[in-house]
Amino acid sequence: MTGIVLSDPEQEEIYVLLKPREDSLPEPLEEVLRKVERALFQRLTIEQIEALAARFDGRR
């Protein structure tokens, strides 16, 4: 079995979709969020992470 490789924009979109819902995610999606989050934190600046967080919907 091979892994899935996501582009940088794809990782960002998954983060924006999943992060506000992290308290209610099933375990497999929670693990996806953690992996994407680690990848983003390694390559983005704090300002870029804050810009992504500003895109979260109002439910957070």
Side-chain angles (χ1 to χ4, degrees), residues 1 3 6-7 20-22 36 42-43 49-50 53 55 58:
M1 180 181 233
L6 299 172
S7 68
R21 297 160 180 80
E22 69 182 318
V36 168
Q42 288 177 354
R43 72 174 173 81
I49 292 289
E50 288 173 348
R55 295 180 48 206

Side-chain angles (χ1 to χ4, degrees), residues 6 11 14-15 32-41:
L6 299 172
Q11 289 178 0
I14 287 178
Y15 180 74
V32 168
L33 174 60
R34 296 293 153 244
K35 289 178 181 180
V36 168
E37 201 167 42
R38 279 192 298 272
L40 290 175
F41 287 177

